[in-house]
Amino acid sequence: MKISMGTVGTVGAVGLALALLAATSTAVAAVGPPVRESFVESWDFVDPDRCGLEVRVSGEESVRLMTISHGRDGLVYYGARLRGFNSFTNLANGKSYSFAWVVNDKDLKITDNGDGTLTILVLATGNFHAYDADGKLLFADPGQIRYEVLIDHGGTPADPSDDVFLENLGLVKGSTGRSDLEGRDFCDDLHMVVD
């Protein structure tokens, strides 16, 4: 699974979790039961120059987020489930190039580095499908990856409200699934489907 959510037009689960830190951290006690939240985000706009085409970009993503603190240090672990779709419709002819995805993203291990930072090992599993204008499956990208991120914990490792994302440390384990999108160019595929 090598999903580029930037191409899809949405936020990756790590970015999403970090963006929601302020909203959820007030509900997370030092050590306590899981906190669950969910929301739906949708978009619909015209992009006058997506790969040289005028397209309507529309879609929706539902997100379920869970936070739980545990362990001796009460560090806060995140999990997220994202389910969504996105389409790019050529306004000149009505043809669309569409995507659908389901991603489960969760913190596997958090290491307090002792220097004001946390290293978080994240497991992301899921699938991503691309469809042509007739709804035929073109590409599939299922599987799982593991990656690490570096967070500045602001002097409070068990309180994520002041955490700042520092760096994506990269893949620890590459994709285990089929990778139809590897080496493909989004603009080439968009033109192939909607021209």
Side-chain angles (χ1 to χ4, degrees), residues 98-101 127-131 137-142 181:
S98 302
F99 306 101
W101 62 90
N127 62 65
F128 178 86
H129 295 107
Y131 300 94
L137 178 65
L138 297 174
F139 313 112
D141 201 353
L181 294 173

Side-chain angles (χ1 to χ4, degrees), residues 95-136:
K95 291 183 178 180
S96 294
Y97 184 33
S98 302
F99 306 101
W101 62 90
V102 176
V103 176
N104 293 298
D105 197 68
K106 69 178 185 174
D107 298 342
L108 288 181
K109 181 179 179 185
I110 301 176
T111 303
D112 188 337
N113 300 319
D115 61 358
T117 65
L118 303 171
T119 298
I120 303 175
L121 174 64
V122 181
L123 169 67
T125 64
N127 62 65
F128 178 86
H129 295 107
Y131 300 94
D132 71 9
D134 297 320
K136 178 184 173 189

